[in-house]
Amino acid sequence: MGQTVKVRSPINIALIKYWGKADEKNVLPTTTSLSLTLSDLWTETTISPNERTIFTLNNQPMNADEIQRLNPVLSHFSNTPFSIQTFNNFPTAAGLASSASGVAALTVALDRFFKTGFSFDQLVDITRVGSGSAVRSLVDGFALWHQEGHVSSLPNPFPDWRMLIVVVSKEKKAISSRDAMKITQKTAPSYPSWIQQSDVDLKEMLRAIQEKDPHAVGQIMERNSEALHAVMKDSQPSIIYQQATSLAILAFVKSLRKTIPFLYTTMDAGPNVKILVQAQDVEHVQRLLEQTFSCTVMVSRIGGKADEI
Ligand code: PMV
């Protein structure tokens, strides 16, 4: 323990989605997922020595429930008191997965603060029990969170990509991804075939990345997201995160492709739409979306990982 440390972690967006655990206790996923980090949307966590342990999120004290949820991570470190200040540079209510960047920043900050000397694989194991998808923020490039639990990465050969996030709703989701994936796994008749298709998507995605084929990457990302929302709907009761506006945006993006061929969409456990786009088209597409749907469109560069700053 010692000096104040500050760690920043980007959020990550899956191109091949994670939706279900094969092992709840150790947080092992039913499928291998693949993501990219967004360098302009991040969580920053500062840990300093203190007489008593305090937690704040965006300058507000965290409540007991929020702190309790961090216990699986905290239990791996010394209980010497410290203060943890966490700050998200994007609206926490914007429907983005702040838990992934938050847990990745927390684990790396605790590791640096206590100088634990944990290996990368040990940090992955600790991070995973805090939030499964958080492990993908520990590496730069295309992050692979393998079914067996470990993480690896591939260099991203597409430096001119950007991600647009169309904020359809800022409301808290009705059902958490943690609970929703359990329902899908237990009740959706098509869940076994979703797993098989995910495996096919992953293999084809890896080939597309290796062959540096941006359209193939985009097409596979889009069909993988469509399959996720189909298997969610197939759950009993049905789980539906897409709103009418989300569907209208998906249709709008498809129609825009006639003039701007590189535009591909993906969606997670919420109504917001993420769009992969080339840097040269960002401003034009952003303006069209804002004008047509009167909603906020955030833009981010791609890359980065949880690291001390
Ligand atoms: O790790 P969680 O509970 O935030 O689940 C993430 C689920 C999706 O965002 C829908 C897919 C993914 O792989 O990020």
Side-chain angles (χ1 to χ4, degrees):
M1 189 189 75
Q3 308 283 326
T4 295
V5 297
K6 198 181 243 197
V7 167
R8 185 182 281 183
S9 171
I11 67 164
N12 71 71
I13 302 294
L15 285 75
I16 302 286
K17 308 292 187 187
Y18 147 60
W19 197 249
K21 296 179 182 68
D23 177 340
E24 285 276 336
K25 190 168 156 274
N26 297 304
V27 188
L28 296 176
T30 52
T31 57
T32 297
S33 57
L34 178 141
S35 69
L36 286 168
T37 51
L38 302 192
S39 39
D40 296 315
L41 301 171
W42 40 255
T43 299
E44 213 169 80
T45 292
T46 308
I47 307 190
S48 313
N50 208 35
E51 280 145 30
R52 59 192 184 89
T53 298
I54 48 171
F55 291 82
T56 59
L57 174 59
N58 297 335
N59 299 322
Q60 300 294 320
M62 280 171 66
N63 65 39
D65 267 5
E66 287 167 330
I67 299 170
Q68 174 87 20
R69 250 180 271 144
L70 302 175
N71 266 343
V73 172
L74 297 170
S75 63
H76 291 273
F77 297 90
S78 157
N79 53 13
T80 313
F82 48 76
S83 83
I84 300 194
Q85 290 169 291
T86 293
F87 174 75
N88 292 330
N89 84 329
F90 52 92
T92 302
L96 292 167
S98 58
S99 68
S101 52
V103 171
L106 176 69
T107 316
V108 174
L110 287 165
D111 177 62
R112 302 292 189 272
F113 183 72
F114 287 113
K115 301 187 174 32
T116 60
F118 284 135
S119 67
F120 176 73
D121 285 344
Q122 285 172 313
L123 281 184
V124 167
D125 289 346
I126 296 169
T127 306
R128 211 174 55 224
V129 292
S131 160
S133 56
V135 296
R136 299 187 311 230
S137 287
L138 298 176
V139 288
D140 198 350
F142 283 100
L144 282 150
W145 177 27
H146 298 266
Q147 226 181 309
E148 300 78 17
H150 63 285
V151 170
S152 64
S153 72
L154 294 168
N156 172 9
F158 309 108
D160 63 334
W161 280 2
R162 300 289 181 271
M163 188 81 85
L164 300 183
I165 295 165
V166 192
V167 182
V168 170
S169 164
K170 295 185 177 167
E171 271 166 43
K172 201 175 167 320
K173 47 191 157 195
I175 176 161
S176 70
S177 47
R178 192 170 291 201
D179 292 341
M181 61 178 78
K182 270 193 218 162
I183 297 174
T184 303
Q185 233 177 312
K186 252 199 234 147
T187 67
S190 59
Y191 191 70
S193 45
W194 176 81
I195 291 185
Q196 278 174 9
Q197 185 55 41
S198 170
D199 203 40
V200 173
D201 288 353
L202 178 70
K203 286 199 180 88
E204 291 187 15
M205 180 65 93
L206 293 175
R207 193 178 325 130
I209 295 169
Q210 201 191 6
E211 289 173 0
K212 300 188 176 53
D213 181 345
H215 286 281
V217 172
Q219 280 154 10
I220 299 162
M221 172 181 87
E222 201 164 279
R223 79 172 188 226
N224 185 270
S225 172
E226 280 166 6
L228 172 70
H229 290 272
V231 78
M232 287 168 167
K233 270 185 213 133
D234 197 29
S235 311
Q236 288 150 23
S238 223
I239 296 162
I240 301 176
Y241 288 111
Q242 294 175 314
Q243 294 181 3
T245 310
S246 323
L247 299 176
I249 293 168
L250 297 181
F252 183 75
V253 169
K254 278 186 188 160
S255 71
L256 273 185
R257 250 184 238 154
K258 284 181 208 120
T259 48
I260 308 168
F262 190 81
L263 286 178
Y264 294 98
T265 58
T266 187
M267 291 186 67
D268 294 288
N272 300 335
V273 181
K274 289 104 185 183
I275 306 169
L276 204 51
V277 54
Q278 276 174 332
Q280 65 194 36
D281 298 319
V282 164
E283 274 172 43
H284 180 52
V285 175
Q286 185 180 17
R287 206 170 40 244
L288 283 176
L289 286 162
E290 281 170 349
Q291 279 167 359
T292 313
F293 298 99
S294 313
C295 43
T296 306
V297 180
M298 296 190 282
V299 185
S300 181
R301 289 166 297 170
I302 287 168
K305 61 174 181 155
D307 228 334
E308 205 167 342
I309 51 170

